[in-house]
Amino acid sequence: MTDGFDLRDERWIPVRLADGVSLKVGLRELFHRADEIADLELPVPPAASGLLRILAAMTSRIAGCDGVRLDDEDLGEDINGWLRLRNRVLAEGRFDPKLVNGYLDQEVPKGHLDLFDGDRPFLQDPRLRSQCVDGQGRPNPSGVNKLVFGRPTGVNGAVWFGHFTDGDPVPVPAAEAVWHLIAQLYYGPSGQCTPRKITEVKPGNGDAGPVRKSVSYHPWADDLFTTLVLAVPQPGVCGDPAEDDACPWEEDALADPLGPLAPASWPGRVLTGRARHAALLEPSQDRRLVTQAYLTWSTHAPPHAVRDPYVILDMPKAGGAPFARPADGSRALWRDLDALLLKGGGQSRRPAAFENLPRTLRTGLRVRAYGFDQDGQQRDSSWFEATTPPVLQWREDGPEPDMALRVGQCRESAELVGERLRFAARLAWRLATEPEADAAARVKLDPKKPGPWAHAAAAHFWPSAEAIFWSLLSPGGRQDTPLPPFIDAALAALDGAIGARSADLRVARARIRARAVLRALLQAGPARPSATTVGSDS
């Protein structure tokens, strides 16, 4: 297939079948065999997160019964009718191959699912060849290294997964380039980018991708068919139905980068139409590699205020609009479980995709999380993927509502102990290293000098805390008080960080004082330590 790279049939999506076999498939085979596919195996979690949104939008166009689809505009105003239709689709157990082919071959305009189409390459803007130019009018691409997450760019770029330079860029296989294209459109940076000249003005800055620095949570079934049907967000919560709702690859005309944004309608534009970046990939002669790339801004219009269906919304303590819970590479998925199981209404709201899940499926549903630890501008730290055991039967509005409260109680106990452990380790470092520190008086801690013990203690504590958390949720541990085992783990972590048999008298005294701070939790109950000082009786 040398004329292009047709995403319908080229093998670019890594999957694992129910029998354990791993292979790559195109969009057509993925939907045809979704009931046989157990999991996606993309090695780039932000690409998997974006791909799931794309596949959910396609699922809404494909899945239906008796000529009525999940994206039906009229049915979108009847949530109970929509849920009944979804249940009927789930009962079918697989996508109808005729509906899959009809969408991919007839509803999507020709060439729009080709990565290298001359007029409308998939999720790209061919106008960048003439708009991203230097002062002499020559092409000014961003470089293939800029496309691939993990490759360094510029002079001081950090090295993640290999040594690459802008002076000698290494082409990327077309299949992998699709992953990074998707990841850039959803998680791309803000700030300086390749300048784009449309008028006499030539701006070279853009906004962050719509889900940058966030974690996406997805109900996860044993087969991809069920996962994708459940991924289609219910209407009215994340955008409103509209007659002209369209995904980028479904539209005839390219969006006007200087014009107003199209409404964030349900489900296509909410899931796939909120990108703030424009991209263009240049192929090798045989269309198997990407040798060059343009990355720039797509719009400077203010984004629509619309809820993403897969993120936890946290409420600011000082009031204001809720925000997506940020990704933290050091935070395990179990620490977010209560926010997914409880009804919300307090400090957080669970993702809209977790509402109205079929009761008959909840006992087998897991939670898949994709996160990308980033700042709001240019720095990328780490990405991660995690999956829980089946836990969604414990939802507060399910058959075991007490378990949701139990999950919250255990998580809060772990957080309280983890916070006190960090404080105790900082206190111990201060007492052990500052000669003027008086072990019998109140000690002021310098936030700029936390010392190494706090980080080391946390690295010991949180893996142990996860094992304790799950044991407290097991049938044999549900009656146990959660605080004591977490405190025991914190004491062991503190000893691991400080050294339980230090010969230094000052370190030994600091350790005793820090252990007392941890044990005090058993008497103090839910009270939290001061952020800066502690008295001798704490």
mmCIF file with all atom_site columns, all heavy atoms in Angstrom, residues 48-58 186-187 211 214-216 218 249 271-272 274 308-311:
data_model
loop_
_atom_site.group_PDB
_atom_site.id
_atom_site.type_symbol
_atom_site.label_atom_id
_atom_site.label_alt_id
_atom_site.label_comp_id
_atom_site.label_asym_id
_atom_site.label_entity_id
_atom_site.label_seq_id
_atom_site.pdbx_PDB_ins_code
_atom_site.Cartn_x
_atom_site.Cartn_y
_atom_site.Cartn_z
_atom_site.occupancy
_atom_site.B_iso_or_equiv
_atom_site.pdbx_formal_charge
_atom_site.auth_seq_id
_atom_site.auth_comp_id
_atom_site.auth_asym_id
_atom_site.auth_atom_id
_atom_site.pdbx_PDB_model_num
ATOM 1   N N   . ALA A 1 48  ? -3.015  6.290  23.912 1.00 0.00 ? 48  ALA A N   1
ATOM 2   C CA  . ALA A 1 48  ? -4.139  5.395  24.184 1.00 0.00 ? 48  ALA A CA  1
ATOM 3   C C   . ALA A 1 48  ? -5.333  6.169  24.702 1.00 0.00 ? 48  ALA A C   1
ATOM 4   O O   . ALA A 1 48  ? -6.485  5.894  24.333 1.00 0.00 ? 48  ALA A O   1
ATOM 5   C CB  . ALA A 1 48  ? -3.714  4.327  25.191 1.00 0.00 ? 48  ALA A CB  1
ATOM 6   N N   . SER A 1 49  ? -5.087  7.156  25.553 1.00 0.00 ? 49  SER A N   1
ATOM 7   C CA  . SER A 1 49  ? -6.164  7.992  26.078 1.00 0.00 ? 49  SER A CA  1
ATOM 8   C C   . SER A 1 49  ? -6.870  8.745  24.961 1.00 0.00 ? 49  SER A C   1
ATOM 9   O O   . SER A 1 49  ? -8.108  8.768  24.889 1.00 0.00 ? 49  SER A O   1
ATOM 10  C CB  . SER A 1 49  ? -5.589  8.982  27.097 1.00 0.00 ? 49  SER A CB  1
ATOM 11  O OG  . SER A 1 49  ? -6.542  9.921  27.503 1.00 0.00 ? 49  SER A OG  1
ATOM 12  N N   . GLY A 1 50  ? -6.102  9.360  24.065 1.00 0.00 ? 50  GLY A N   1
ATOM 13  C CA  . GLY A 1 50  ? -6.718  10.061 22.939 1.00 0.00 ? 50  GLY A CA  1
ATOM 14  C C   . GLY A 1 50  ? -7.408  9.115  21.980 1.00 0.00 ? 50  GLY A C   1
ATOM 15  O O   . GLY A 1 50  ? -8.500  9.411  21.476 1.00 0.00 ? 50  GLY A O   1
ATOM 16  N N   . LEU A 1 51  ? -6.787  7.953  21.725 1.00 0.00 ? 51  LEU A N   1
ATOM 17  C CA  . LEU A 1 51  ? -7.396  6.986  20.809 1.00 0.00 ? 51  LEU A CA  1
ATOM 18  C C   . LEU A 1 51  ? -8.746  6.501  21.338 1.00 0.00 ? 51  LEU A C   1
ATOM 19  O O   . LEU A 1 51  ? -9.693  6.321  20.565 1.00 0.00 ? 51  LEU A O   1
ATOM 20  C CB  . LEU A 1 51  ? -6.453  5.802  20.600 1.00 0.00 ? 51  LEU A CB  1
ATOM 21  C CG  . LEU A 1 51  ? -6.992  4.665  19.723 1.00 0.00 ? 51  LEU A CG  1
ATOM 22  C CD1 . LEU A 1 51  ? -7.293  5.164  18.312 1.00 0.00 ? 51  LEU A CD1 1
ATOM 23  C CD2 . LEU A 1 51  ? -6.015  3.497  19.686 1.00 0.00 ? 51  LEU A CD2 1
ATOM 24  N N   . LEU A 1 52  ? -8.857  6.299  22.639 1.00 0.00 ? 52  LEU A N   1
ATOM 25  C CA  . LEU A 1 52  ? -10.132 5.868  23.198 1.00 0.00 ? 52  LEU A CA  1
ATOM 26  C C   . LEU A 1 52  ? -11.233 6.901  22.949 1.00 0.00 ? 52  LEU A C   1
ATOM 27  O O   . LEU A 1 52  ? -12.389 6.539  22.707 1.00 0.00 ? 52  LEU A O   1
ATOM 28  C CB  . LEU A 1 52  ? -9.987  5.607  24.692 1.00 0.00 ? 52  LEU A CB  1
ATOM 29  C CG  . LEU A 1 52  ? -9.532  4.198  25.082 1.00 0.00 ? 52  LEU A CG  1
ATOM 30  C CD1 . LEU A 1 52  ? -9.244  4.127  26.571 1.00 0.00 ? 52  LEU A CD1 1
ATOM 31  C CD2 . LEU A 1 52  ? -10.576 3.161  24.700 1.00 0.00 ? 52  LEU A CD2 1
ATOM 32  N N   . ARG A 1 53  ? -10.895 8.166  22.997 1.00 0.00 ? 53  ARG A N   1
ATOM 33  C CA  . ARG A 1 53  ? -11.883 9.202  22.703 1.00 0.00 ? 53  ARG A CA  1
ATOM 34  C C   . ARG A 1 53  ? -12.299 9.134  21.226 1.00 0.00 ? 53  ARG A C   1
ATOM 35  O O   . ARG A 1 53  ? -13.471 9.287  20.893 1.00 0.00 ? 53  ARG A O   1
ATOM 36  C CB  . ARG A 1 53  ? -11.317 10.579 23.050 1.00 0.00 ? 53  ARG A CB  1
ATOM 37  C CG  . ARG A 1 53  ? -11.213 10.830 24.557 1.00 0.00 ? 53  ARG A CG  1
ATOM 38  C CD  . ARG A 1 53  ? -10.343 12.045 24.871 1.00 0.00 ? 53  ARG A CD  1
ATOM 39  N NE  . ARG A 1 53  ? -10.481 12.476 26.253 1.00 0.00 ? 53  ARG A NE  1
ATOM 40  C CZ  . ARG A 1 53  ? -9.829  11.953 27.278 1.00 0.00 ? 53  ARG A CZ  1
ATOM 41  N NH1 . ARG A 1 53  ? -8.986  10.955 27.080 1.00 0.00 ? 53  ARG A NH1 1
ATOM 42  N NH2 . ARG A 1 53  ? -10.019 12.413 28.515 1.00 0.00 ? 53  ARG A NH2 1
ATOM 43  N N   . ILE A 1 54  ? -11.330 8.915  20.351 1.00 0.00 ? 54  ILE A N   1
ATOM 44  C CA  . ILE A 1 54  ? -11.629 8.791  18.920 1.00 0.00 ? 54  ILE A CA  1
ATOM 45  C C   . ILE A 1 54  ? -12.493 7.562  18.667 1.00 0.00 ? 54  ILE A C   1
ATOM 46  O O   . ILE A 1 54  ? -13.497 7.620  17.938 1.00 0.00 ? 54  ILE A O   1
ATOM 47  C CB  . ILE A 1 54  ? -10.315 8.729  18.121 1.00 0.00 ? 54  ILE A CB  1
ATOM 48  C CG1 . ILE A 1 54  ? -9.589  10.081 18.190 1.00 0.00 ? 54  ILE A CG1 1
ATOM 49  C CG2 . ILE A 1 54  ? -10.570 8.327  16.673 1.00 0.00 ? 54  ILE A CG2 1
ATOM 50  C CD1 . ILE A 1 54  ? -8.178  10.052 17.641 1.00 0.00 ? 54  ILE A CD1 1
ATOM 51  N N   . LEU A 1 55  ? -12.132 6.427  19.273 1.00 0.00 ? 55  LEU A N   1
ATOM 52  C CA  . LEU A 1 55  ? -12.896 5.204  19.079 1.00 0.00 ? 55  LEU A CA  1
ATOM 53  C C   . LEU A 1 55  ? -14.299 5.313  19.667 1.00 0.00 ? 55  LEU A C   1
ATOM 54  O O   . LEU A 1 55  ? -15.265 4.771  19.121 1.00 0.00 ? 55  LEU A O   1
ATOM 55  C CB  . LEU A 1 55  ? -12.164 4.019  19.703 1.00 0.00 ? 55  LEU A CB  1
ATOM 56  C CG  . LEU A 1 55  ? -10.812 3.651  19.078 1.00 0.00 ? 55  LEU A CG  1
ATOM 57  C CD1 . LEU A 1 55  ? -10.162 2.500  19.846 1.00 0.00 ? 55  LEU A CD1 1
ATOM 58  C CD2 . LEU A 1 55  ? -10.972 3.288  17.605 1.00 0.00 ? 55  LEU A CD2 1
ATOM 59  N N   . ALA A 1 56  ? -14.444 6.043  20.787 1.00 0.00 ? 56  ALA A N   1
ATOM 60  C CA  . ALA A 1 56  ? -15.772 6.239  21.370 1.00 0.00 ? 56  ALA A CA  1
ATOM 61  C C   . ALA A 1 56  ? -16.656 7.043  20.430 1.00 0.00 ? 56  ALA A C   1
ATOM 62  O O   . ALA A 1 56  ? -17.852 6.748  20.275 1.00 0.00 ? 56  ALA A O   1
ATOM 63  C CB  . ALA A 1 56  ? -15.651 6.927  22.727 1.00 0.00 ? 56  ALA A CB  1
ATOM 64  N N   . ALA A 1 57  ? -16.080 8.071  19.787 1.00 0.00 ? 57  ALA A N   1
ATOM 65  C CA  . ALA A 1 57  ? -16.849 8.859  18.826 1.00 0.00 ? 57  ALA A CA  1
ATOM 66  C C   . ALA A 1 57  ? -17.273 7.991  17.640 1.00 0.00 ? 57  ALA A C   1
ATOM 67  O O   . ALA A 1 57  ? -18.423 8.062  17.178 1.00 0.00 ? 57  ALA A O   1
ATOM 68  C CB  . ALA A 1 57  ? -16.030 10.058 18.359 1.00 0.00 ? 57  ALA A CB  1
ATOM 69  N N   . MET A 1 58  ? -16.356 7.171  17.132 1.00 0.00 ? 58  MET A N   1
ATOM 70  C CA  . MET A 1 58  ? -16.703 6.276  16.032 1.00 0.00 ? 58  MET A CA  1
ATOM 71  C C   . MET A 1 58  ? -17.753 5.262  16.466 1.00 0.00 ? 58  MET A C   1
ATOM 72  O O   . MET A 1 58  ? -18.664 4.933  15.696 1.00 0.00 ? 58  MET A O   1
ATOM 73  C CB  . MET A 1 58  ? -15.452 5.564  15.527 1.00 0.00 ? 58  MET A CB  1
ATOM 74  C CG  . MET A 1 58  ? -14.471 6.475  14.810 1.00 0.00 ? 58  MET A CG  1
ATOM 75  S SD  . MET A 1 58  ? -13.038 5.552  14.182 1.00 0.00 ? 58  MET A SD  1
ATOM 76  C CE  . MET A 1 58  ? -12.228 6.823  13.207 1.00 0.00 ? 58  MET A CE  1
ATOM 77  N N   . TYR A 1 186 ? -4.067  15.934 21.977 1.00 0.00 ? 186 TYR A N   1
ATOM 78  C CA  . TYR A 1 186 ? -4.773  15.920 23.255 1.00 0.00 ? 186 TYR A CA  1
ATOM 79  C C   . TYR A 1 186 ? -3.928  16.441 24.412 1.00 0.00 ? 186 TYR A C   1
ATOM 80  O O   . TYR A 1 186 ? -4.473  17.010 25.366 1.00 0.00 ? 186 TYR A O   1
ATOM 81  C CB  . TYR A 1 186 ? -5.253  14.502 23.572 1.00 0.00 ? 186 TYR A CB  1
ATOM 82  C CG  . TYR A 1 186 ? -6.486  14.099 22.785 1.00 0.00 ? 186 TYR A CG  1
ATOM 83  C CD1 . TYR A 1 186 ? -6.370  13.400 21.584 1.00 0.00 ? 186 TYR A CD1 1
ATOM 84  C CD2 . TYR A 1 186 ? -7.755  14.432 23.231 1.00 0.00 ? 186 TYR A CD2 1
ATOM 85  C CE1 . TYR A 1 186 ? -7.499  13.038 20.859 1.00 0.00 ? 186 TYR A CE1 1
ATOM 86  C CE2 . TYR A 1 186 ? -8.885  14.077 22.512 1.00 0.00 ? 186 TYR A CE2 1
ATOM 87  C CZ  . TYR A 1 186 ? -8.754  13.381 21.325 1.00 0.00 ? 186 TYR A CZ  1
ATOM 88  O OH  . TYR A 1 186 ? -9.869  13.044 20.602 1.00 0.00 ? 186 TYR A OH  1
ATOM 89  N N   . TYR A 1 187 ? -2.606  16.247 24.371 1.00 0.00 ? 187 TYR A N   1
ATOM 90  C CA  . TYR A 1 187 ? -1.750  16.572 25.509 1.00 0.00 ? 187 TYR A CA  1
ATOM 91  C C   . TYR A 1 187 ? -0.626  17.544 25.159 1.00 0.00 ? 187 TYR A C   1
ATOM 92  O O   . TYR A 1 187 ? 0.294   17.714 25.952 1.00 0.00 ? 187 TYR A O   1
ATOM 93  C CB  . TYR A 1 187 ? -1.128  15.290 26.074 1.00 0.00 ? 187 TYR A CB  1
ATOM 94  C CG  . TYR A 1 187 ? -2.108  14.371 26.751 1.00 0.00 ? 187 TYR A CG  1
ATOM 95  C CD1 . TYR A 1 187 ? -2.816  13.414 26.025 1.00 0.00 ? 187 TYR A CD1 1
ATOM 96  C CD2 . TYR A 1 187 ? -2.324  14.443 28.121 1.00 0.00 ? 187 TYR A CD2 1
ATOM 97  C CE1 . TYR A 1 187 ? -3.713  12.552 26.648 1.00 0.00 ? 187 TYR A CE1 1
ATOM 98  C CE2 . TYR A 1 187 ? -3.211  13.586 28.757 1.00 0.00 ? 187 TYR A CE2 1
ATOM 99  C CZ  . TYR A 1 187 ? -3.906  12.648 28.008 1.00 0.00 ? 187 TYR A CZ  1
ATOM 100 O OH  . TYR A 1 187 ? -4.797  11.797 28.634 1.00 0.00 ? 187 TYR A OH  1
ATOM 101 N N   . VAL A 1 211 ? -6.708  18.021 27.304 1.00 0.00 ? 211 VAL A N   1
ATOM 102 C CA  . VAL A 1 211 ? -6.617  17.204 28.517 1.00 0.00 ? 211 VAL A CA  1
ATOM 103 C C   . VAL A 1 211 ? -5.188  17.165 29.049 1.00 0.00 ? 211 VAL A C   1
ATOM 104 O O   . VAL A 1 211 ? -4.801  16.232 29.769 1.00 0.00 ? 211 VAL A O   1
ATOM 105 C CB  . VAL A 1 211 ? -7.143  15.772 28.276 1.00 0.00 ? 211 VAL A CB  1
ATOM 106 C CG1 . VAL A 1 211 ? -8.638  15.789 28.057 1.00 0.00 ? 211 VAL A CG1 1
ATOM 107 C CG2 . VAL A 1 211 ? -6.452  15.100 27.100 1.00 0.00 ? 211 VAL A CG2 1
ATOM 108 N N   . SER A 1 214 ? -3.640  15.844 32.818 1.00 0.00 ? 214 SER A N   1
ATOM 109 C CA  . SER A 1 214 ? -4.745  15.233 33.546 1.00 0.00 ? 214 SER A CA  1
ATOM 110 C C   . SER A 1 214 ? -4.654  13.717 33.523 1.00 0.00 ? 214 SER A C   1
ATOM 111 O O   . SER A 1 214 ? -3.808  13.125 32.853 1.00 0.00 ? 214 SER A O   1
ATOM 112 C CB  . SER A 1 214 ? -6.083  15.683 32.947 1.00 0.00 ? 214 SER A CB  1
ATOM 113 O OG  . SER A 1 214 ? -6.261  15.146 31.655 1.00 0.00 ? 214 SER A OG  1
ATOM 114 N N   . VAL A 1 215 ? -5.540  13.073 34.271 1.00 0.00 ? 215 VAL A N   1
ATOM 115 C CA  . VAL A 1 215 ? -5.701  11.622 34.271 1.00 0.00 ? 215 VAL A CA  1
ATOM 116 C C   . VAL A 1 215 ? -7.069  11.303 33.690 1.00 0.00 ? 215 VAL A C   1
ATOM 117 O O   . VAL A 1 215 ? -8.067  11.931 34.055 1.00 0.00 ? 215 VAL A O   1
ATOM 118 C CB  . VAL A 1 215 ? -5.624  11.035 35.691 1.00 0.00 ? 215 VAL A CB  1
ATOM 119 C CG1 . VAL A 1 215 ? -5.573  9.498  35.631 1.00 0.00 ? 215 VAL A CG1 1
ATOM 120 C CG2 . VAL A 1 215 ? -4.427  11.563 36.443 1.00 0.00 ? 215 VAL A CG2 1
ATOM 121 N N   . SER A 1 216 ? -7.131  10.341 32.777 1.00 0.00 ? 216 SER A N   1
ATOM 122 C CA  . SER A 1 216 ? -8.395  9.884  32.217 1.00 0.00 ? 216 SER A CA  1
ATOM 123 C C   . SER A 1 216 ? -8.751  8.533  32.824 1.00 0.00 ? 216 SER A C   1
ATOM 124 O O   . SER A 1 216 ? -7.906  7.643  32.912 1.00 0.00 ? 216 SER A O   1
ATOM 125 C CB  . SER A 1 216 ? -8.304  9.747  30.694 1.00 0.00 ? 216 SER A CB  1
ATOM 126 O OG  . SER A 1 216 ? -8.107  11.000 30.088 1.00 0.00 ? 216 SER A OG  1
ATOM 127 N N   . HIS A 1 218 ? -11.498 5.239  32.747 1.00 0.00 ? 218 HIS A N   1
ATOM 128 C CA  . HIS A 1 218 ? -12.431 4.575  31.834 1.00 0.00 ? 218 HIS A CA  1
ATOM 129 C C   . HIS A 1 218 ? -12.966 3.299  32.466 1.00 0.00 ? 218 HIS A C   1
ATOM 130 O O   . HIS A 1 218 ? -12.175 2.493  32.990 1.00 0.00 ? 218 HIS A O   1
ATOM 131 C CB  . HIS A 1 218 ? -11.728 4.224  30.520 1.00 0.00 ? 218 HIS A CB  1
ATOM 132 C CG  . HIS A 1 218 ? -11.074 5.388  29.848 1.00 0.00 ? 218 HIS A CG  1
ATOM 133 N ND1 . HIS A 1 218 ? -11.701 6.140  28.879 1.00 0.00 ? 218 HIS A ND1 1
ATOM 134 C CD2 . HIS A 1 218 ? -9.836  5.942  30.013 1.00 0.00 ? 218 HIS A CD2 1
ATOM 135 C CE1 . HIS A 1 218 ? -10.887 7.101  28.476 1.00 0.00 ? 218 HIS A CE1 1
ATOM 136 N NE2 . HIS A 1 218 ? -9.756  6.997  29.151 1.00 0.00 ? 218 HIS A NE2 1
ATOM 137 N N   . TRP A 1 249 ? -12.457 14.288 10.960 1.00 0.00 ? 249 TRP A N   1
ATOM 138 C CA  . TRP A 1 249 ? -12.307 13.497 9.722  1.00 0.00 ? 249 TRP A CA  1
ATOM 139 C C   . TRP A 1 249 ? -13.628 13.338 8.974  1.00 0.00 ? 249 TRP A C   1
ATOM 140 O O   . TRP A 1 249 ? -13.647 12.802 7.879  1.00 0.00 ? 249 TRP A O   1
ATOM 141 C CB  . TRP A 1 249 ? -11.728 12.125 10.050 1.00 0.00 ? 249 TRP A CB  1
ATOM 142 C CG  . TRP A 1 249 ? -12.557 11.338 11.012 1.00 0.00 ? 249 TRP A CG  1
ATOM 143 C CD1 . TRP A 1 249 ? -13.609 10.517 10.724 1.00 0.00 ? 249 TRP A CD1 1
ATOM 144 C CD2 . TRP A 1 249 ? -12.420 11.306 12.431 1.00 0.00 ? 249 TRP A CD2 1
ATOM 145 N NE1 . TRP A 1 249 ? -14.137 9.978  11.868 1.00 0.00 ? 249 TRP A NE1 1
ATOM 146 C CE2 . TRP A 1 249 ? -13.425 10.440 12.930 1.00 0.00 ? 249 TRP A CE2 1
ATOM 147 C CE3 . TRP A 1 249 ? -11.546 11.918 13.331 1.00 0.00 ? 249 TRP A CE3 1
ATOM 148 C CZ2 . TRP A 1 249 ? -13.571 10.187 14.301 1.00 0.00 ? 249 TRP A CZ2 1
ATOM 149 C CZ3 . TRP A 1 249 ? -11.688 11.655 14.681 1.00 0.00 ? 249 TRP A CZ3 1
ATOM 150 C CH2 . TRP A 1 249 ? -12.692 10.808 15.151 1.00 0.00 ? 249 TRP A CH2 1
ATOM 151 N N   . LEU A 1 271 ? -15.605 14.904 22.044 1.00 0.00 ? 271 LEU A N   1
ATOM 152 C CA  . LEU A 1 271 ? -14.570 13.877 22.155 1.00 0.00 ? 271 LEU A CA  1
ATOM 153 C C   . LEU A 1 271 ? -13.377 14.126 21.250 1.00 0.00 ? 271 LEU A C   1
ATOM 154 O O   . LEU A 1 271 ? -12.246 13.750 21.594 1.00 0.00 ? 271 LEU A O   1
ATOM 155 C CB  . LEU A 1 271 ? -15.173 12.502 21.833 1.00 0.00 ? 271 LEU A CB  1
ATOM 156 C CG  . LEU A 1 271 ? -16.235 11.980 22.810 1.00 0.00 ? 271 LEU A CG  1
ATOM 157 C CD1 . LEU A 1 271 ? -16.828 10.681 22.287 1.00 0.00 ? 271 LEU A CD1 1
ATOM 158 C CD2 . LEU A 1 271 ? -15.644 11.779 24.198 1.00 0.00 ? 271 LEU A CD2 1
ATOM 159 N N   . THR A 1 272 ? -13.585 14.751 20.091 1.00 0.00 ? 272 THR A N   1
ATOM 160 C CA  . THR A 1 272 ? -12.502 14.818 19.095 1.00 0.00 ? 272 THR A CA  1
ATOM 161 C C   . THR A 1 272 ? -12.270 16.208 18.515 1.00 0.00 ? 272 THR A C   1
ATOM 162 O O   . THR A 1 272 ? -11.326 16.367 17.728 1.00 0.00 ? 272 THR A O   1
ATOM 163 C CB  . THR A 1 272 ? -12.809 13.868 17.926 1.00 0.00 ? 272 THR A CB  1
ATOM 164 O OG1 . THR A 1 272 ? -13.970 14.335 17.207 1.00 0.00 ? 272 THR A OG1 1
ATOM 165 C CG2 . THR A 1 272 ? -13.068 12.452 18.408 1.00 0.00 ? 272 THR A CG2 1
ATOM 166 N N   . ARG A 1 274 ? -11.734 19.360 20.083 1.00 0.00 ? 274 ARG A N   1
ATOM 167 C CA  . ARG A 1 274 ? -11.309 20.452 20.959 1.00 0.00 ? 274 ARG A CA  1
ATOM 168 C C   . ARG A 1 274 ? -9.805  20.699 20.911 1.00 0.00 ? 274 ARG A C   1
ATOM 169 O O   . ARG A 1 274 ? -9.245  21.352 21.791 1.00 0.00 ? 274 ARG A O   1
ATOM 170 C CB  . ARG A 1 274 ? -11.743 20.168 22.388 1.00 0.00 ? 274 ARG A CB  1
ATOM 171 C CG  . ARG A 1 274 ? -13.265 20.086 22.548 1.00 0.00 ? 274 ARG A CG  1
ATOM 172 C CD  . ARG A 1 274 ? -13.673 19.975 24.012 1.00 0.00 ? 274 ARG A CD  1
ATOM 173 N NE  . ARG A 1 274 ? -13.256 18.710 24.590 1.00 0.00 ? 274 ARG A NE  1
ATOM 174 C CZ  . ARG A 1 274 ? -12.653 18.594 25.771 1.00 0.00 ? 274 ARG A CZ  1
ATOM 175 N NH1 . ARG A 1 274 ? -12.353 19.671 26.474 1.00 0.00 ? 274 ARG A NH1 1
ATOM 176 N NH2 . ARG A 1 274 ? -12.322 17.401 26.238 1.00 0.00 ? 274 ARG A NH2 1
ATOM 177 N N   . ASP A 1 308 ? -15.175 17.201 30.137 1.00 0.00 ? 308 ASP A N   1
ATOM 178 C CA  . ASP A 1 308 ? -14.638 15.978 29.553 1.00 0.00 ? 308 ASP A CA  1
ATOM 179 C C   . ASP A 1 308 ? -15.226 14.792 30.316 1.00 0.00 ? 308 ASP A C   1
ATOM 180 O O   . ASP A 1 308 ? -15.242 14.788 31.555 1.00 0.00 ? 308 ASP A O   1
ATOM 181 C CB  . ASP A 1 308 ? -13.112 15.963 29.649 1.00 0.00 ? 308 ASP A CB  1
ATOM 182 C CG  . ASP A 1 308 ? -12.497 14.790 28.916 1.00 0.00 ? 308 ASP A CG  1
ATOM 183 O OD1 . ASP A 1 308 ? -12.542 13.670 29.453 1.00 0.00 ? 308 ASP A OD1 1
ATOM 184 O OD2 . ASP A 1 308 ? -11.994 14.981 27.793 1.00 0.00 ? 308 ASP A OD2 1
ATOM 185 N N   . PRO A 1 309 ? -15.703 13.769 29.625 1.00 0.00 ? 309 PRO A N   1
ATOM 186 C CA  . PRO A 1 309 ? -16.422 12.694 30.326 1.00 0.00 ? 309 PRO A CA  1
ATOM 187 C C   . PRO A 1 309 ? -15.554 11.728 31.115 1.00 0.00 ? 309 PRO A C   1
ATOM 188 O O   . PRO A 1 309 ? -16.085 10.895 31.844 1.00 0.00 ? 309 PRO A O   1
ATOM 189 C CB  . PRO A 1 309 ? -17.131 11.952 29.189 1.00 0.00 ? 309 PRO A CB  1
ATOM 190 C CG  . PRO A 1 309 ? -16.319 12.229 27.978 1.00 0.00 ? 309 PRO A CG  1
ATOM 191 C CD  . PRO A 1 309 ? -15.773 13.604 28.157 1.00 0.00 ? 309 PRO A CD  1
ATOM 192 N N   . TYR A 1 310 ? -14.223 11.838 31.004 1.00 0.00 ? 310 TYR A N   1
ATOM 193 C CA  . TYR A 1 310 ? -13.364 10.822 31.604 1.00 0.00 ? 310 TYR A CA  1
ATOM 194 C C   . TYR A 1 310 ? -12.466 11.347 32.718 1.00 0.00 ? 310 TYR A C   1
ATOM 195 O O   . TYR A 1 310 ? -11.565 10.631 33.163 1.00 0.00 ? 310 TYR A O   1
ATOM 196 C CB  . TYR A 1 310 ? -12.492 10.174 30.521 1.00 0.00 ? 310 TYR A CB  1
ATOM 197 C CG  . TYR A 1 310 ? -13.266 9.742  29.304 1.00 0.00 ? 310 TYR A CG  1
ATOM 198 C CD1 . TYR A 1 310 ? -13.074 10.367 28.070 1.00 0.00 ? 310 TYR A CD1 1
ATOM 199 C CD2 . TYR A 1 310 ? -14.210 8.720  29.380 1.00 0.00 ? 310 TYR A CD2 1
ATOM 200 C CE1 . TYR A 1 310 ? -13.792 9.982  26.951 1.00 0.00 ? 310 TYR A CE1 1
ATOM 201 C CE2 . TYR A 1 310 ? -14.931 8.329  28.271 1.00 0.00 ? 310 TYR A CE2 1
ATOM 202 C CZ  . TYR A 1 310 ? -14.723 8.967  27.053 1.00 0.00 ? 310 TYR A CZ  1
ATOM 203 O OH  . TYR A 1 310 ? -15.450 8.585  25.944 1.00 0.00 ? 310 TYR A OH  1
ATOM 204 N N   . VAL A 1 311 ? -12.664 12.555 33.181 1.00 0.00 ? 311 VAL A N   1
ATOM 205 C CA  . VAL A 1 311 ? -11.797 13.107 34.217 1.00 0.00 ? 311 VAL A CA  1
ATOM 206 C C   . VAL A 1 311 ? -12.588 13.322 35.504 1.00 0.00 ? 311 VAL A C   1
ATOM 207 O O   . VAL A 1 311 ? -13.795 13.569 35.481 1.00 0.00 ? 311 VAL A O   1
ATOM 208 C CB  . VAL A 1 311 ? -11.147 14.438 33.777 1.00 0.00 ? 311 VAL A CB  1
ATOM 209 C CG1 . VAL A 1 311 ? -10.310 14.236 32.519 1.00 0.00 ? 311 VAL A CG1 1
ATOM 210 C CG2 . VAL A 1 311 ? -12.180 15.535 33.576 1.00 0.00 ? 311 VAL A CG2 1
#
